[in-house]
Amino acid sequence: MKAFLIDLTKCVGCHDCQIGCKDEHCDQAWMPYAEAQPEVGQFWMKVKQFERGHAPHVKVTYMPTMCNHCENAPCEAAAKNGAVYRREDGLVLIDPAKAKGQREIMDACPYHAIYWNDALNIPQKCTGCAHLLDGDHPISVPRCVDNCHVDVITFGEEAELDLEGTEVLHPEYGTKPRVFYRGLPKKFIAGTVFDPDAEEIIEGALVTATGDAGTFTATTDSWGDFWLRDLPDAEWTVTIEHGGKKKSVAVSTVSEDQGLGDVALC
Ligand code: SF4
Ligand code: SF4
């Protein structure tokens, strides 16, 4: 069984994977795998961008997203007449002829990976470039994989991929995705600690986040900055200590990363 491995720690957000997908599929049908993708409105490979935190403590994450070729695919369950099927290699495909008029296939995907083609009256999505895998082509991997120059996306036999420490998107859906991610962003709390009396930043302050989810520590650097990284979504008490002074603040990472800005320790 094949799988995709997407290493977000290496992605630079150049969108070449997305462009390669467009180049492969726009105005070009690969029947019986797929009708042509329209030039606008569809992104079978889509690079999402997230800006996290608050200035000046901000991080940007790029995340290539696509059909997850789920083992337990809701789109397959919603399709009539076998219009969605899973191949022996694990790729989930929509049969363009059988899927005509079946909007419920698009509506069933919890990842919103399926698009509707109004002109052809069909649902469409990533095919894993099955036409390249099956055919006698100079490229024998999905086009997004071939287009990425920093090897963020790997496609191959699951047993041969290093999936240690990887995660899938929304495992709670129970869909068993076959697209695995390394480096999915976790929450952070950051800030700059300063001494208002001395009008100086403080280097070496101990910062501790405690809560039901555990305890995390960091130390302020020569800019007075601290970064508590890889935090679970939770409520925290953040305590800052230095030179006999101590300050605690309540911070939540349930819905977003937190850039606390300048924090006076007095
Ligand atoms: Fe179907 Fe959506 Fe899963 Fe792809 S990600 S297999 S379209 S349910
Ligand atoms: Fe990221 Fe590679 Fe896609 Fe560029 S081509 S956005 S580096 S996955």
Side-chain angles (χ1 to χ4, degrees), residues 21 25 33-35 37 42-45 66-70 73 75 84-85 91-94 105 109 112-116 122-129:
C21 178
H25 292 281
Y33 308 98
E35 287 283 6
Q37 181 184 144
Q42 295 199 16
F43 296 95
W44 298 359
M45 163 56 81
M66 55 194 288
C67 166
N68 285 290
H69 296 278
C70 310
C75 60
V84 178
Y85 59 101
L91 292 177
V92 176
L93 298 191
I94 299 174
I105 293 174
C109 175
H112 307 293
I114 305 179
Y115 298 83
W116 191 256
I122 56 169
Q124 291 184 286
K125 69 167 191 72
C126 161
T127 63
C129 286

PDB file of all heavy atoms in Angstrom, residues 21 25 33-35 37 42-45 66-70 73 75 84-85 91-94 105 109 112-116 122-129:
ATOM      1  N   CYS A  21       0.667  20.467 -10.016  1.00  0.00           N
ATOM      2  CA  CYS A  21      -0.628  19.788 -10.109  1.00  0.00           C
ATOM      3  C   CYS A  21      -1.482  20.456 -11.173  1.00  0.00           C
ATOM      4  O   CYS A  21      -2.107  19.800 -12.013  1.00  0.00           O
ATOM      5  CB  CYS A  21      -1.317  19.832  -8.745  1.00  0.00           C
ATOM      6  SG  CYS A  21      -2.955  19.094  -8.725  1.00  0.00           S
ATOM      7  N   HIS A  25      -2.872  18.738 -14.744  1.00  0.00           N
ATOM      8  CA  HIS A  25      -4.287  18.378 -14.881  1.00  0.00           C
ATOM      9  C   HIS A  25      -5.174  19.420 -15.549  1.00  0.00           C
ATOM     10  O   HIS A  25      -6.269  19.074 -15.995  1.00  0.00           O
ATOM     11  CB  HIS A  25      -4.870  18.047 -13.501  1.00  0.00           C
ATOM     12  CG  HIS A  25      -4.312  16.789 -12.905  1.00  0.00           C
ATOM     13  ND1 HIS A  25      -4.744  15.541 -13.281  1.00  0.00           N
ATOM     14  CD2 HIS A  25      -3.342  16.593 -11.979  1.00  0.00           C
ATOM     15  CE1 HIS A  25      -4.079  14.618 -12.595  1.00  0.00           C
ATOM     16  NE2 HIS A  25      -3.210  15.226 -11.812  1.00  0.00           N
ATOM     17  N   TYR A  33      -8.987   8.055 -15.433  1.00  0.00           N
ATOM     18  CA  TYR A  33      -8.693   8.482 -14.067  1.00  0.00           C
ATOM     19  C   TYR A  33      -9.390   9.795 -13.706  1.00  0.00           C
ATOM     20  O   TYR A  33      -9.909   9.948 -12.604  1.00  0.00           O
ATOM     21  CB  TYR A  33      -7.194   8.664 -13.870  1.00  0.00           C
ATOM     22  CG  TYR A  33      -6.365   7.473 -14.284  1.00  0.00           C
ATOM     23  CD1 TYR A  33      -5.742   7.424 -15.525  1.00  0.00           C
ATOM     24  CD2 TYR A  33      -6.206   6.388 -13.421  1.00  0.00           C
ATOM     25  CE1 TYR A  33      -4.974   6.338 -15.900  1.00  0.00           C
ATOM     26  CE2 TYR A  33      -5.440   5.298 -13.791  1.00  0.00           C
ATOM     27  CZ  TYR A  33      -4.835   5.272 -15.042  1.00  0.00           C
ATOM     28  OH  TYR A  33      -4.076   4.195 -15.416  1.00  0.00           O
ATOM     29  N   ALA A  34      -9.347  10.745 -14.625  1.00  0.00           N
ATOM     30  CA  ALA A  34      -9.880  12.075 -14.303  1.00  0.00           C
ATOM     31  C   ALA A  34     -10.169  12.854 -15.578  1.00  0.00           C
ATOM     32  O   ALA A  34      -9.430  12.751 -16.556  1.00  0.00           O
ATOM     33  CB  ALA A  34      -8.879  12.850 -13.451  1.00  0.00           C
ATOM     34  N   GLU A  35     -11.239  13.643 -15.502  1.00  0.00           N
ATOM     35  CA  GLU A  35     -11.455  14.666 -16.521  1.00  0.00           C
ATOM     36  C   GLU A  35     -10.509  15.829 -16.222  1.00  0.00           C
ATOM     37  O   GLU A  35      -9.897  15.892 -15.153  1.00  0.00           O
ATOM     38  CB  GLU A  35     -12.917  15.159 -16.473  1.00  0.00           C
ATOM     39  CG  GLU A  35     -13.932  14.163 -17.026  1.00  0.00           C
ATOM     40  CD  GLU A  35     -13.943  14.117 -18.556  1.00  0.00           C
ATOM     41  OE1 GLU A  35     -13.074  14.776 -19.174  1.00  0.00           O
ATOM     42  OE2 GLU A  35     -14.811  13.419 -19.126  1.00  0.00           O
ATOM     43  N   GLN A  37      -8.993  19.287 -15.084  1.00  0.00           N
ATOM     44  CA  GLN A  37      -9.280  20.212 -13.983  1.00  0.00           C
ATOM     45  C   GLN A  37      -9.510  21.604 -14.585  1.00  0.00           C
ATOM     46  O   GLN A  37      -8.735  22.027 -15.446  1.00  0.00           O
ATOM     47  CB  GLN A  37      -8.074  20.237 -13.033  1.00  0.00           C
ATOM     48  CG  GLN A  37      -8.251  21.136 -11.827  1.00  0.00           C
ATOM     49  CD  GLN A  37      -7.000  21.225 -10.956  1.00  0.00           C
ATOM     50  OE1 GLN A  37      -6.686  22.272 -10.405  1.00  0.00           O
ATOM     51  NE2 GLN A  37      -6.276  20.125 -10.822  1.00  0.00           N
ATOM     52  N   GLN A  42     -10.287  25.245  -8.583  1.00  0.00           N
ATOM     53  CA  GLN A  42      -9.967  23.945  -7.996  1.00  0.00           C
ATOM     54  C   GLN A  42      -8.469  23.859  -7.661  1.00  0.00           C
ATOM     55  O   GLN A  42      -7.634  24.301  -8.450  1.00  0.00           O
ATOM     56  CB  GLN A  42     -10.319  22.801  -8.963  1.00  0.00           C
ATOM     57  CG  GLN A  42     -11.814  22.680  -9.238  1.00  0.00           C
ATOM     58  CD  GLN A  42     -12.201  21.312  -9.787  1.00  0.00           C
ATOM     59  OE1 GLN A  42     -11.439  20.351  -9.700  1.00  0.00           O
ATOM     60  NE2 GLN A  42     -13.403  21.227 -10.338  1.00  0.00           N
ATOM     61  N   PHE A  43      -8.187  23.283  -6.507  1.00  0.00           N
ATOM     62  CA  PHE A  43      -6.790  23.061  -6.085  1.00  0.00           C
ATOM     63  C   PHE A  43      -6.694  21.656  -5.516  1.00  0.00           C
ATOM     64  O   PHE A  43      -6.923  21.456  -4.333  1.00  0.00           O
ATOM     65  CB  PHE A  43      -6.366  24.106  -5.046  1.00  0.00           C
ATOM     66  CG  PHE A  43      -6.358  25.503  -5.573  1.00  0.00           C
ATOM     67  CD1 PHE A  43      -7.457  26.331  -5.400  1.00  0.00           C
ATOM     68  CD2 PHE A  43      -5.280  25.973  -6.297  1.00  0.00           C
ATOM     69  CE1 PHE A  43      -7.469  27.609  -5.920  1.00  0.00           C
ATOM     70  CE2 PHE A  43      -5.277  27.256  -6.821  1.00  0.00           C
ATOM     71  CZ  PHE A  43      -6.381  28.083  -6.632  1.00  0.00           C
ATOM     72  N   TRP A  44      -6.374  20.690  -6.376  1.00  0.00           N
ATOM     73  CA  TRP A  44      -6.276  19.305  -5.908  1.00  0.00           C
ATOM     74  C   TRP A  44      -5.085  19.180  -4.958  1.00  0.00           C
ATOM     75  O   TRP A  44      -5.097  18.354  -4.064  1.00  0.00           O
ATOM     76  CB  TRP A  44      -6.149  18.353  -7.089  1.00  0.00           C
ATOM     77  CG  TRP A  44      -7.343  18.394  -8.010  1.00  0.00           C
ATOM     78  CD1 TRP A  44      -8.475  19.149  -7.863  1.00  0.00           C
ATOM     79  CD2 TRP A  44      -7.519  17.646  -9.209  1.00  0.00           C
ATOM     80  NE1 TRP A  44      -9.333  18.913  -8.902  1.00  0.00           N
ATOM     81  CE2 TRP A  44      -8.780  17.999  -9.751  1.00  0.00           C
ATOM     82  CE3 TRP A  44      -6.732  16.721  -9.900  1.00  0.00           C
ATOM     83  CZ2 TRP A  44      -9.264  17.448 -10.933  1.00  0.00           C
ATOM     84  CZ3 TRP A  44      -7.211  16.171 -11.080  1.00  0.00           C
ATOM     85  CH2 TRP A  44      -8.468  16.527 -11.584  1.00  0.00           C
ATOM     86  N   MET A  45      -4.067  19.971  -5.168  1.00  0.00           N
ATOM     87  CA  MET A  45      -2.992  20.180  -4.197  1.00  0.00           C
ATOM     88  C   MET A  45      -3.065  21.654  -3.815  1.00  0.00           C
ATOM     89  O   MET A  45      -3.053  22.515  -4.685  1.00  0.00           O
ATOM     90  CB  MET A  45      -1.626  19.842  -4.819  1.00  0.00           C
ATOM     91  CG  MET A  45      -0.422  20.389  -4.057  1.00  0.00           C
ATOM     92  SD  MET A  45      -0.329  19.894  -2.341  1.00  0.00           S
ATOM     93  CE  MET A  45       0.368  18.254  -2.470  1.00  0.00           C
ATOM     94  N   MET A  66      -4.153  17.972   0.437  1.00  0.00           N
ATOM     95  CA  MET A  66      -4.681  17.247  -0.722  1.00  0.00           C
ATOM     96  C   MET A  66      -5.674  16.207  -0.226  1.00  0.00           C
ATOM     97  O   MET A  66      -5.911  16.105   0.985  1.00  0.00           O
ATOM     98  CB  MET A  66      -3.518  16.533  -1.430  1.00  0.00           C
ATOM     99  CG  MET A  66      -2.757  15.647  -0.465  1.00  0.00           C
ATOM    100  SD  MET A  66      -1.167  15.077  -1.047  1.00  0.00           S
ATOM    101  CE  MET A  66      -1.688  13.905  -2.262  1.00  0.00           C
ATOM    102  N   CYS A  67      -6.240  15.435  -1.129  1.00  0.00           N
ATOM    103  CA  CYS A  67      -7.044  14.286  -0.724  1.00  0.00           C
ATOM    104  C   CYS A  67      -6.162  13.357   0.101  1.00  0.00           C
ATOM    105  O   CYS A  67      -5.006  13.106  -0.241  1.00  0.00           O
ATOM    106  CB  CYS A  67      -7.556  13.552  -1.958  1.00  0.00           C
ATOM    107  SG  CYS A  67      -8.210  11.909  -1.579  1.00  0.00           S
ATOM    108  N   ASN A  68      -6.701  12.864   1.192  1.00  0.00           N
ATOM    109  CA  ASN A  68      -5.911  12.009   2.095  1.00  0.00           C
ATOM    110  C   ASN A  68      -5.950  10.537   1.717  1.00  0.00           C
ATOM    111  O   ASN A  68      -5.386   9.703   2.428  1.00  0.00           O
ATOM    112  CB  ASN A  68      -6.403  12.189   3.526  1.00  0.00           C
ATOM    113  CG  ASN A  68      -5.952  13.510   4.121  1.00  0.00           C
ATOM    114  OD1 ASN A  68      -4.773  13.691   4.383  1.00  0.00           O
ATOM    115  ND2 ASN A  68      -6.865  14.431   4.284  1.00  0.00           N
ATOM    116  N   HIS A  69      -6.625  10.203   0.629  1.00  0.00           N
ATOM    117  CA  HIS A  69      -6.719   8.808   0.165  1.00  0.00           C
ATOM    118  C   HIS A  69      -7.016   7.878   1.354  1.00  0.00           C
ATOM    119  O   HIS A  69      -6.289   6.905   1.603  1.00  0.00           O
ATOM    120  CB  HIS A  69      -5.452   8.421  -0.607  1.00  0.00           C
ATOM    121  CG  HIS A  69      -5.307   9.248  -1.856  1.00  0.00           C
ATOM    122  ND1 HIS A  69      -5.964   8.962  -3.024  1.00  0.00           N
ATOM    123  CD2 HIS A  69      -4.633  10.402  -2.090  1.00  0.00           C
ATOM    124  CE1 HIS A  69      -5.692   9.886  -3.939  1.00  0.00           C
ATOM    125  NE2 HIS A  69      -4.888  10.771  -3.393  1.00  0.00           N
ATOM    126  N   CYS A  70      -8.112   8.247   2.048  1.00  0.00           N
ATOM    127  CA  CYS A  70      -8.482   7.582   3.301  1.00  0.00           C
ATOM    128  C   CYS A  70      -8.774   6.088   3.093  1.00  0.00           C
ATOM    129  O   CYS A  70      -9.405   5.697   2.105  1.00  0.00           O
ATOM    130  CB  CYS A  70      -9.732   8.236   3.887  1.00  0.00           C
ATOM    131  SG  CYS A  70      -9.651  10.022   3.997  1.00  0.00           S
ATOM    132  N   ALA A  73     -12.942   5.831   3.670  1.00  0.00           N
ATOM    133  CA  ALA A  73     -13.263   7.090   2.995  1.00  0.00           C
ATOM    134  C   ALA A  73     -14.766   7.373   2.958  1.00  0.00           C
ATOM    135  O   ALA A  73     -15.526   6.628   2.341  1.00  0.00           O
ATOM    136  CB  ALA A  73     -12.723   7.053   1.565  1.00  0.00           C
ATOM    137  N   CYS A  75     -16.236   9.593   1.255  1.00  0.00           N
ATOM    138  CA  CYS A  75     -16.664   9.849  -0.135  1.00  0.00           C
ATOM    139  C   CYS A  75     -17.017   8.537  -0.829  1.00  0.00           C
ATOM    140  O   CYS A  75     -17.975   8.469  -1.608  1.00  0.00           O
ATOM    141  CB  CYS A  75     -15.573  10.596  -0.897  1.00  0.00           C
ATOM    142  SG  CYS A  75     -14.002   9.714  -0.991  1.00  0.00           S
ATOM    143  N   VAL A  84     -16.868   5.911  -6.547  1.00  0.00           N
ATOM    144  CA  VAL A  84     -15.580   6.162  -5.878  1.00  0.00           C
ATOM    145  C   VAL A  84     -15.019   4.805  -5.470  1.00  0.00           C
ATOM    146  O   VAL A  84     -15.736   3.978  -4.903  1.00  0.00           O
ATOM    147  CB  VAL A  84     -15.743   7.058  -4.635  1.00  0.00           C
ATOM    148  CG1 VAL A  84     -14.397   7.269  -3.941  1.00  0.00           C
ATOM    149  CG2 VAL A  84     -16.351   8.407  -5.016  1.00  0.00           C
ATOM    150  N   TYR A  85     -13.768   4.559  -5.790  1.00  0.00           N
ATOM    151  CA  TYR A  85     -13.199   3.240  -5.520  1.00  0.00           C
ATOM    152  C   TYR A  85     -11.747   3.382  -5.051  1.00  0.00           C
ATOM    153  O   TYR A  85     -11.081   4.380  -5.344  1.00  0.00           O
ATOM    154  CB  TYR A  85     -13.256   2.349  -6.767  1.00  0.00           C
ATOM    155  CG  TYR A  85     -12.520   2.912  -7.958  1.00  0.00           C
ATOM    156  CD1 TYR A  85     -11.247   2.442  -8.303  1.00  0.00           C
ATOM    157  CD2 TYR A  85     -13.076   3.923  -8.741  1.00  0.00           C
ATOM    158  CE1 TYR A  85     -10.560   2.955  -9.398  1.00  0.00           C
ATOM    159  CE2 TYR A  85     -12.393   4.445  -9.833  1.00  0.00           C
ATOM    160  CZ  TYR A  85     -11.150   3.955 -10.145  1.00  0.00           C
ATOM    161  OH  TYR A  85     -10.462   4.483 -11.218  1.00  0.00           O
ATOM    162  N   LEU A  91      -4.739   4.257  -3.518  1.00  0.00           N
ATOM    163  CA  LEU A  91      -5.268   5.527  -4.017  1.00  0.00           C
ATOM    164  C   LEU A  91      -6.786   5.446  -4.150  1.00  0.00           C
ATOM    165  O   LEU A  91      -7.326   4.445  -4.641  1.00  0.00           O
ATOM    166  CB  LEU A  91      -4.648   5.862  -5.380  1.00  0.00           C
ATOM    167  CG  LEU A  91      -3.154   6.203  -5.377  1.00  0.00           C
ATOM    168  CD1 LEU A  91      -2.670   6.437  -6.815  1.00  0.00           C
ATOM    169  CD2 LEU A  91      -2.875   7.431  -4.512  1.00  0.00           C
ATOM    170  N   VAL A  92      -7.449   6.513  -3.724  1.00  0.00           N
ATOM    171  CA  VAL A  92      -8.912   6.600  -3.840  1.00  0.00           C
ATOM    172  C   VAL A  92      -9.221   7.457  -5.067  1.00  0.00           C
ATOM    173  O   VAL A  92      -8.780   8.605  -5.158  1.00  0.00           O
ATOM    174  CB  VAL A  92      -9.526   7.234  -2.573  1.00  0.00           C
ATOM    175  CG1 VAL A  92     -11.028   7.421  -2.743  1.00  0.00           C
ATOM    176  CG2 VAL A  92      -9.222   6.365  -1.353  1.00  0.00           C
ATOM    177  N   LEU A  93      -9.973   6.900  -5.996  1.00  0.00           N
ATOM    178  CA  LEU A  93     -10.273   7.609  -7.240  1.00  0.00           C
ATOM    179  C   LEU A  93     -11.775   7.785  -7.420  1.00  0.00           C
ATOM    180  O   LEU A  93     -12.574   6.941  -6.992  1.00  0.00           O
ATOM    181  CB  LEU A  93      -9.720   6.855  -8.449  1.00  0.00           C
ATOM    182  CG  LEU A  93      -8.202   6.651  -8.534  1.00  0.00           C
ATOM    183  CD1 LEU A  93      -7.821   6.133  -9.915  1.00  0.00           C
ATOM    184  CD2 LEU A  93      -7.455   7.939  -8.244  1.00  0.00           C
ATOM    185  N   ILE A  94     -12.127   8.879  -8.094  1.00  0.00           N
ATOM    186  CA  ILE A  94     -13.516   9.110  -8.498  1.00  0.00           C
ATOM    187  C   ILE A  94     -13.627   8.763  -9.975  1.00  0.00           C
ATOM    188  O   ILE A  94     -12.857   9.277 -10.798  1.00  0.00           O
ATOM    189  CB  ILE A  94     -13.918  10.588  -8.293  1.00  0.00           C
ATOM    190  CG1 ILE A  94     -13.810  10.977  -6.816  1.00  0.00           C
ATOM    191  CG2 ILE A  94     -15.330  10.829  -8.805  1.00  0.00           C
ATOM    192  CD1 ILE A  94     -14.058  12.463  -6.548  1.00  0.00           C
ATOM    193  N   ILE A 105     -21.035  13.026  -3.132  1.00  0.00           N
ATOM    194  CA  ILE A 105     -19.632  12.582  -3.016  1.00  0.00           C
ATOM    195  C   ILE A 105     -18.783  13.735  -2.495  1.00  0.00           C
ATOM    196  O   ILE A 105     -17.989  13.580  -1.556  1.00  0.00           O
ATOM    197  CB  ILE A 105     -19.103  12.091  -4.385  1.00  0.00           C
ATOM    198  CG1 ILE A 105     -19.835  10.816  -4.796  1.00  0.00           C
ATOM    199  CG2 ILE A 105     -17.594  11.883  -4.334  1.00  0.00           C
ATOM    200  CD1 ILE A 105     -19.490  10.328  -6.193  1.00  0.00           C
ATOM    201  N   CYS A 109     -16.854  14.547   1.958  1.00  0.00           N
ATOM    202  CA  CYS A 109     -15.447  14.632   2.368  1.00  0.00           C
ATOM    203  C   CYS A 109     -15.271  15.621   3.513  1.00  0.00           C
ATOM    204  O   CYS A 109     -15.478  16.826   3.343  1.00  0.00           O
ATOM    205  CB  CYS A 109     -14.559  15.062   1.186  1.00  0.00           C
ATOM    206  SG  CYS A 109     -12.846  15.307   1.726  1.00  0.00           S
ATOM    207  N   HIS A 112     -12.830  18.588   2.813  1.00  0.00           N
ATOM    208  CA  HIS A 112     -13.143  19.518   1.719  1.00  0.00           C
ATOM    209  C   HIS A 112     -12.106  19.407   0.595  1.00  0.00           C
ATOM    210  O   HIS A 112     -11.653  20.418   0.057  1.00  0.00           O
ATOM    211  CB  HIS A 112     -13.233  20.952   2.238  1.00  0.00           C
ATOM    212  CG  HIS A 112     -14.182  21.097   3.393  1.00  0.00           C
ATOM    213  ND1 HIS A 112     -15.548  20.914   3.273  1.00  0.00           N
ATOM    214  CD2 HIS A 112     -13.961  21.342   4.717  1.00  0.00           C
ATOM    215  CE1 HIS A 112     -16.121  21.065   4.455  1.00  0.00           C
ATOM    216  NE2 HIS A 112     -15.184  21.304   5.346  1.00  0.00           N
ATOM    217  N   ALA A 113     -11.756  18.173   0.281  1.00  0.00           N
ATOM    218  CA  ALA A 113     -10.736  17.938  -0.745  1.00  0.00           C
ATOM    219  C   ALA A 113     -11.351  17.726  -2.131  1.00  0.00           C
ATOM    220  O   ALA A 113     -10.623  17.555  -3.107  1.00  0.00           O
ATOM    221  CB  ALA A 113      -9.899  16.707  -0.368  1.00  0.00           C
ATOM    222  N   ILE A 114     -12.681  17.719  -2.204  1.00  0.00           N
ATOM    223  CA  ILE A 114     -13.354  17.467  -3.484  1.00  0.00           C
ATOM    224  C   ILE A 114     -14.007  18.762  -3.975  1.00  0.00           C
ATOM    225  O   ILE A 114     -14.596  19.507  -3.193  1.00  0.00           O
ATOM    226  CB  ILE A 114     -14.425  16.367  -3.341  1.00  0.00           C
ATOM    227  CG1 ILE A 114     -13.805  15.091  -2.762  1.00  0.00           C
ATOM    228  CG2 ILE A 114     -15.084  16.076  -4.687  1.00  0.00           C
ATOM    229  CD1 ILE A 114     -14.787  13.948  -2.565  1.00  0.00           C
ATOM    230  N   TYR A 115     -13.901  19.006  -5.281  1.00  0.00           N
ATOM    231  CA  TYR A 115     -14.461  20.213  -5.910  1.00  0.00           C
ATOM    232  C   TYR A 115     -15.543  19.789  -6.898  1.00  0.00           C
ATOM    233  O   TYR A 115     -15.519  18.667  -7.417  1.00  0.00           O
ATOM    234  CB  TYR A 115     -13.357  20.989  -6.649  1.00  0.00           C
ATOM    235  CG  TYR A 115     -12.278  21.479  -5.731  1.00  0.00           C
ATOM    236  CD1 TYR A 115     -11.224  20.631  -5.352  1.00  0.00           C
ATOM    237  CD2 TYR A 115     -12.287  22.779  -5.229  1.00  0.00           C
ATOM    238  CE1 TYR A 115     -10.229  21.078  -4.500  1.00  0.00           C
ATOM    239  CE2 TYR A 115     -11.292  23.230  -4.376  1.00  0.00           C
ATOM    240  CZ  TYR A 115     -10.261  22.375  -4.016  1.00  0.00           C
ATOM    241  OH  TYR A 115      -9.272  22.806  -3.175  1.00  0.00           O
ATOM    242  N   TRP A 116     -16.439  20.736  -7.175  1.00  0.00           N
ATOM    243  CA  TRP A 116     -17.504  20.451  -8.135  1.00  0.00           C
ATOM    244  C   TRP A 116     -17.197  21.141  -9.457  1.00  0.00           C
ATOM    245  O   TRP A 116     -16.892  22.331  -9.495  1.00  0.00           O
ATOM    246  CB  TRP A 116     -18.862  20.923  -7.607  1.00  0.00           C
ATOM    247  CG  TRP A 116     -19.980  20.404  -8.447  1.00  0.00           C
ATOM    248  CD1 TRP A 116     -20.714  21.114  -9.366  1.00  0.00           C
ATOM    249  CD2 TRP A 116     -20.455  19.060  -8.496  1.00  0.00           C
ATOM    250  NE1 TRP A 116     -21.615  20.283  -9.963  1.00  0.00           N
ATOM    251  CE2 TRP A 116     -21.487  19.017  -9.451  1.00  0.00           C
ATOM    252  CE3 TRP A 116     -20.115  17.884  -7.822  1.00  0.00           C
ATOM    253  CZ2 TRP A 116     -22.176  17.839  -9.756  1.00  0.00           C
ATOM    254  CZ3 TRP A 116     -20.795  16.722  -8.121  1.00  0.00           C
ATOM    255  CH2 TRP A 116     -21.814  16.712  -9.078  1.00  0.00           C
ATOM    256  N   ILE A 122     -19.611  17.029 -12.427  1.00  0.00           N
ATOM    257  CA  ILE A 122     -18.933  15.924 -11.731  1.00  0.00           C
ATOM    258  C   ILE A 122     -18.110  16.447 -10.543  1.00  0.00           C
ATOM    259  O   ILE A 122     -17.640  17.580 -10.558  1.00  0.00           O
ATOM    260  CB  ILE A 122     -17.977  15.135 -12.664  1.00  0.00           C
ATOM    261  CG1 ILE A 122     -16.942  16.077 -13.294  1.00  0.00           C
ATOM    262  CG2 ILE A 122     -18.741  14.352 -13.701  1.00  0.00           C
ATOM    263  CD1 ILE A 122     -15.814  15.362 -14.004  1.00  0.00           C
ATOM    264  N   PRO A 123     -17.912  15.590  -9.529  1.00  0.00           N
ATOM    265  CA  PRO A 123     -16.956  15.917  -8.464  1.00  0.00           C
ATOM    266  C   PRO A 123     -15.545  15.552  -8.923  1.00  0.00           C
ATOM    267  O   PRO A 123     -15.360  14.560  -9.649  1.00  0.00           O
ATOM    268  CB  PRO A 123     -17.409  15.017  -7.309  1.00  0.00           C
ATOM    269  CG  PRO A 123     -18.064  13.845  -7.959  1.00  0.00           C
ATOM    270  CD  PRO A 123     -18.604  14.300  -9.285  1.00  0.00           C
ATOM    271  N   GLN A 124     -14.553  16.343  -8.473  1.00  0.00           N
ATOM    272  CA  GLN A 124     -13.159  16.088  -8.882  1.00  0.00           C
ATOM    273  C   GLN A 124     -12.205  16.308  -7.708  1.00  0.00           C
ATOM    274  O   GLN A 124     -12.458  17.130  -6.837  1.00  0.00           O
ATOM    275  CB  GLN A 124     -12.762  17.040 -10.015  1.00  0.00           C
ATOM    276  CG  GLN A 124     -13.462  16.761 -11.320  1.00  0.00           C
ATOM    277  CD  GLN A 124     -12.959  17.678 -12.410  1.00  0.00           C
ATOM    278  OE1 GLN A 124     -13.283  18.862 -12.422  1.00  0.00           O
ATOM    279  NE2 GLN A 124     -12.165  17.146 -13.312  1.00  0.00           N
ATOM    280  N   LYS A 125     -11.081  15.601  -7.745  1.00  0.00           N
ATOM    281  CA  LYS A 125     -10.076  15.732  -6.685  1.00  0.00           C
ATOM    282  C   LYS A 125      -8.758  15.115  -7.150  1.00  0.00           C
ATOM    283  O   LYS A 125      -8.681  14.570  -8.274  1.00  0.00           O
ATOM    284  CB  LYS A 125     -10.553  15.030  -5.409  1.00  0.00           C
ATOM    285  CG  LYS A 125     -10.588  13.509  -5.542  1.00  0.00           C
ATOM    286  CD  LYS A 125     -10.751  12.858  -4.195  1.00  0.00           C
ATOM    287  CE  LYS A 125     -10.522  11.365  -4.290  1.00  0.00           C
ATOM    288  NZ  LYS A 125      -9.128  11.012  -4.500  1.00  0.00           N
ATOM    289  N   CYS A 126      -7.782  15.153  -6.249  1.00  0.00           N
ATOM    290  CA  CYS A 126      -6.469  14.537  -6.485  1.00  0.00           C
ATOM    291  C   CYS A 126      -6.621  13.056  -6.825  1.00  0.00           C
ATOM    292  O   CYS A 126      -7.348  12.322  -6.156  1.00  0.00           O
ATOM    293  CB  CYS A 126      -5.633  14.706  -5.225  1.00  0.00           C
ATOM    294  SG  CYS A 126      -4.224  13.577  -5.092  1.00  0.00           S
ATOM    295  N   THR A 127      -5.902  12.640  -7.855  1.00  0.00           N
ATOM    296  CA  THR A 127      -5.912  11.225  -8.238  1.00  0.00           C
ATOM    297  C   THR A 127      -4.616  10.524  -7.815  1.00  0.00           C
ATOM    298  O   THR A 127      -4.412   9.352  -8.138  1.00  0.00           O
ATOM    299  CB  THR A 127      -6.018  11.095  -9.768  1.00  0.00           C
ATOM    300  OG1 THR A 127      -4.844  11.693 -10.345  1.00  0.00           O
ATOM    301  CG2 THR A 127      -7.271  11.779 -10.303  1.00  0.00           C
ATOM    302  N   GLY A 128      -3.736  11.264  -7.135  1.00  0.00           N
ATOM    303  CA  GLY A 128      -2.407  10.700  -6.862  1.00  0.00           C
ATOM    304  C   GLY A 128      -1.618  10.521  -8.158  1.00  0.00           C
ATOM    305  O   GLY A 128      -0.630   9.784  -8.202  1.00  0.00           O
ATOM    306  N   CYS A 129      -2.100  11.232  -9.203  1.00  0.00           N
ATOM    307  CA  CYS A 129      -1.497  11.092 -10.555  1.00  0.00           C
ATOM    308  C   CYS A 129      -1.384   9.611 -10.928  1.00  0.00           C
ATOM    309  O   CYS A 129      -0.308   9.157 -11.389  1.00  0.00           O
ATOM    310  CB  CYS A 129      -0.156  11.803 -10.637  1.00  0.00           C
ATOM    311  SG  CYS A 129      -0.289  13.601 -10.707  1.00  0.00           S
TER     312      CYS A 129
END
